[in-house]
Amino acid sequence: MTAEVLALNRRTEREAVFNPWRVRRDFPILHQKLEGKPLVYLDSAAMSQKPQVVLDAIRRFYQLDCSNVHRGVHTLSERATDAYETARAKIQRFINAGHPSEIVFVRGTTEGINLVAGSYGRRHIRAGDEIVVTTMEHHSNIVPWQILCEEKGARLRVAPVSDTGELLLDEFERLLNPRTRFVSVVHVSNALGTVNPIRRIVEMAHGWNVPVLIDGAQAAPHLGIDVRELDCDFYVFSGHKLYGPTGIGVLYGKEKLLEAMPPYQGGGEMISTVSFEKTTYKRPPFKFEAGTPNVAGAIGLGTAIDYVSGLGRSAVAAHEEQLMAYATKALLDIPGVRLIGTAPGKVSVVSFVLDGVHPHDIGTILDEEGIAIRAGHHCAQPLMERFRVPATARASFALYNVTEEIDALVSALHKVRDLLG
Ligand SMILES: Cc1ncc(COP(=O)(O)O)c(C=O)c1O
């Protein structure tokens, strides 16, 4: 047997025996009590927890390799640069981009979208043009486009969603017209869990020669991402939702588009030459990475990607699917619970309301039981308005969650009903 076959066998074996209890051992934060109760962490859509290997990688950088990148000729700088660029290559493979130069390190999804709006958008959007988003966008995929539209006299068009929380594709298609200049759509809704049909959306937009940005903040931790297969023009996600550190994220852009875009910020590292008469810029991705980047963050994210890939993406997805099915059924069995977002195939989040109880009160009482969920508008106020709710309670799942935690959630919700319902 070749080494490759042996490695494949080992990996298949690991995937077959995916054991969330064993996985939990990799996450030190999960083994604590809050007010004497074991922590039940069901807020990974807001921020995922970090495995020990990621914590170690960050510590190792600061302890042994701490140095600036792309600058020094000394050993530490070479090591840091090597680790930083290795992380970029890992991300390239993780999303199947064609080349590492298509991977730009940013602070997170929000900065990635602002970069595209501020650079591509500023250059190409003019008065009377239209930009299309959907009702289920996170504020970070609404506000940057609104700012751009205001500046340019352009118009933001919004594709509606159905009562189940699915994008109405026909309505989306109807919005595309000769004035459309850009489409920006979420892959997985953070408030509903809906998975959008990105391939179809991209095909429709490309039919009008319109580029498409995908907000992958909630997709990257749960779905296999293949940017070439999706054929999207830009894809953005955050490290902190993908078991990596805060302050680091990724903007993928097709090489040709990145090449033609003006810089987003000016400063050190992004230039080829500077004089008071004229400055010339480096090629992507460096053109978009002004100043000292988040080196430790990039290294940590690369390690997080190794970690998830090592567990087997399909094994993780199968586990999370099982959690979703279990939670959906268990919540619906509680009298007075209504789910917000019931699209088939949804992933990772269950949003709900409970008759007569404000979601914030649910969150507060659950916290007393050691259970962390999110309650609020989830940075998706237009979507809350669409469903005529001020807020929802949201439980979200990750690879380290177990069905026993959903049982704890359900029994705490019964307490909430007894107290306030
Ligand atoms: C769908 C979606 N888009 C964008 C964001 C913003 O991500 P960040 O705050 O990491 O920039 C989030 C964060 O919750 C999100 O869920």
Side-chain angles (χ1 to χ4, degrees):
M1 248 189 279
T2 65
E4 254 168 278
V5 173
L6 278 172
L8 192 67
N9 281 350
R10 271 199 301 275
R11 185 170 165 168
T12 313
E13 243 170 62
R14 264 205 315 273
E15 291 188 16
V17 293
F18 181 86
N19 177 350
W21 289 101
R22 206 178 57 204
V23 166
R24 289 173 73 80
R25 283 193 230 140
D26 297 335
F27 291 82
I29 200 169
L30 297 178
H31 309 288
Q32 62 179 299
K33 292 194 166 165
L34 300 179
E35 308 279 338
K37 303 199 170 113
L39 167 66
V40 172
Y41 190 75
L42 299 176
D43 194 22
S44 296
M47 166 89 69
S48 68
Q49 300 303 346
K50 321 303 173 201
Q52 187 65 49
V53 282
V54 168
L55 306 177
D56 290 345
I58 296 166
R59 189 180 41 81
R60 199 176 320 114
F61 168 73
Y62 284 121
Q63 212 165 316
L64 297 173
D65 301 333
C66 187
S67 179
N68 217 322
V69 290
H70 304 137
R71 294 178 192 200
V73 288
H74 57 78
T75 305
L76 292 196
S77 177
E78 275 172 18
R79 273 200 236 147
T81 303
D82 205 35
Y84 183 69
E85 291 306 324
T86 300
R88 195 190 306 275
K90 284 178 188 177
I91 291 155
Q92 176 214 340
R93 288 193 295 276
F94 185 68
I95 61 170
N96 196 30
H99 198 272
S101 64
E102 295 180 316
I103 305 299
V104 180
F105 282 120
V106 288
R107 269 197 304 134
T109 305
T110 305
E111 190 178 45
I113 297 172
N114 276 281
L115 192 163
V116 176
S119 169
Y120 181 93
R122 276 229 173 111
R123 169 145 303 177
H124 293 283
I125 305 297
R126 303 208 163 82
D129 289 348
E130 295 182 359
I131 296 169
V132 179
V133 297
T134 79
T135 309
M136 69 175 95
E137 302 308 322
H138 187 281
H139 295 164
S140 56
N141 199 26
I142 299 174
V143 184
W145 304 115
Q146 271 176 333
I147 293 172
L148 181 67
C149 285
E150 256 171 49
E151 183 183 318
K152 298 287 187 173
R155 182 172 174 209
L156 193 66
R157 308 293 308 269
V158 185
V161 302
S162 70
D163 290 343
T164 56
E166 287 164 272
L167 178 64
L168 292 167
L169 258 190
D170 290 347
E171 302 282 328
F172 169 79
E173 191 167 27
R174 226 167 285 148
L175 286 178
L176 301 173
N177 69 68
R179 288 182 301 279
T180 314
R181 289 284 175 274
F182 204 85
V183 167
S184 197
V185 174
V186 72
H187 197 165
V188 172
S189 156
N190 65 309
L192 305 171
T194 306
V195 183
N196 278 321
I198 298 304
R199 191 69 200 85
R200 271 302 285 136
I201 289 169
V202 170
E203 256 171 30
M204 287 175 179
H206 283 180
W208 291 89
N209 270 330
V210 171
V212 182
L213 180 147
I214 306 300
D215 169 356
Q218 297 295 339
H222 304 288
L223 306 177
I225 308 297
D226 184 333
V227 289
R228 278 190 282 182
E229 149 59 29
L230 293 174
D231 199 24
C232 55
D233 301 280
F234 300 100
Y235 197 99
V236 289
F237 61 94
S238 304
H240 69 89
K241 296 185 198 289
L242 183 55
Y243 311 104
T246 56
I248 189 77
V250 171
L251 162 67
Y252 156 81
K254 280 185 180 164
E255 197 169 15
K256 261 197 189 152
L257 288 168
L258 291 180
E259 285 279 1
M261 280 160 54
Y264 164 61
Q265 294 178 334
E269 274 304 284
M270 47 78 76
I271 52 88
S272 282
T273 60
V274 176
S275 74
F276 284 116
E277 289 69 41
K278 179 159 180 63
T279 289
T280 58
Y281 308 118
K282 280 190 181 148
R283 298 186 61 190
F286 308 112
K287 178 165 72 175
F288 300 107
E289 294 181 3
T292 298
N294 183 351
V295 184
I299 294 169
L301 177 55
T303 306
I305 282 174
D306 285 343
Y307 177 80
V308 181
S309 307
L311 290 175
R313 296 230 75 185
S314 50
V316 169
H319 171 63
E320 291 178 349
E321 197 180 317
Q322 193 204 340
L323 292 173
M324 278 291 286
Y326 189 89
T328 304
K329 180 170 181 323
L331 287 175
L332 284 174
D333 282 346
I334 302 173
V337 162
R338 181 163 61 93
L339 298 188
I340 305 293
T342 49
K346 56 184 265 201
V347 294
S348 75
V349 309
V350 188
S351 261
F352 61 95
V353 288
L354 180 56
D355 273 351
V357 187
H358 194 281
H360 283 143
D361 294 330
I362 300 178
T364 307
I365 296 174
L366 293 191
D367 182 50
E368 286 163 13
E369 299 295 314
I371 301 171
I373 61 153
R374 177 97 185 255
H377 54 59
H378 315 293
C379 298
Q381 281 181 348
L383 186 68
M384 297 295 112
E385 226 168 83
R386 157 68 182 84
F387 282 94
R388 293 193 193 86
V389 290
T392 74
R394 181 189 74 182
S396 55
F397 308 111
L399 48 82
Y400 40 65
N401 288 120
V402 290
T403 50
E404 285 79 354
E405 292 177 301
I406 296 166
D407 295 339
L409 169 70
V410 169
S411 88
L413 284 172
H414 279 292
K415 270 194 195 167
V416 174
R417 273 192 75 233
D418 292 345
L419 274 170
L420 303 175

